[in-house]
Amino acid sequence: MKKKRQNQNEKDVMYSVPDRTDTRVGSVCVSMAGHDTGDYLVIIAGINRDHVYVADGKARKLIAPKKKKMRHLNMITKLSGPDTEVLRSGFYNDSFLRKVLSKAKSEKLT
């Protein structure tokens, strides 16, 4: 009789619970590793000390945020207070992400 394998998702249920109250939410960063190397991303939720969810509203949408390790991200700047509060509330869309990311990149370049 074969042993039944435990589903990987059953083990990690508590591991991948997004936390919007994390202090890193609202940080703009650049991906330093992976397929999205060089892309500007916004941290939308924390998972644990080492992992976060990121999105940019264009290539990486909110419906499927990317789980990234913090060591693969280079923090650039933090969004303004009101923008960060909108992210923490959870009432935003891809258009909002594109807009704040564009604004943060233009402020950083000037």
Side-chain angles (χ1 to χ4, degrees), residues 54-78:
V54 294
D56 65 358
K58 190 185 284 186
R60 184 54 70 172
K61 302 212 181 218
L62 289 171
I63 195 76
K66 175 75 175 165
K67 179 179 164 186
K68 288 289 267 190
K69 289 184 179 181
M70 284 301 296
R71 69 180 182 191
H72 295 158
L73 296 172
N74 185 12
M75 303 294 226
I76 300 297
T77 186
K78 191 95 163 131

Side-chain angles (χ1 to χ4, degrees), residues 55-58 60-63 92-99:
D56 65 358
K58 190 185 284 186
R60 184 54 70 172
K61 302 212 181 218
L62 289 171
I63 195 76
Y92 56 96
N93 55 17
D94 290 320
S95 174
F96 173 78
L97 270 185
R98 289 191 303 269
K99 194 180 306 178

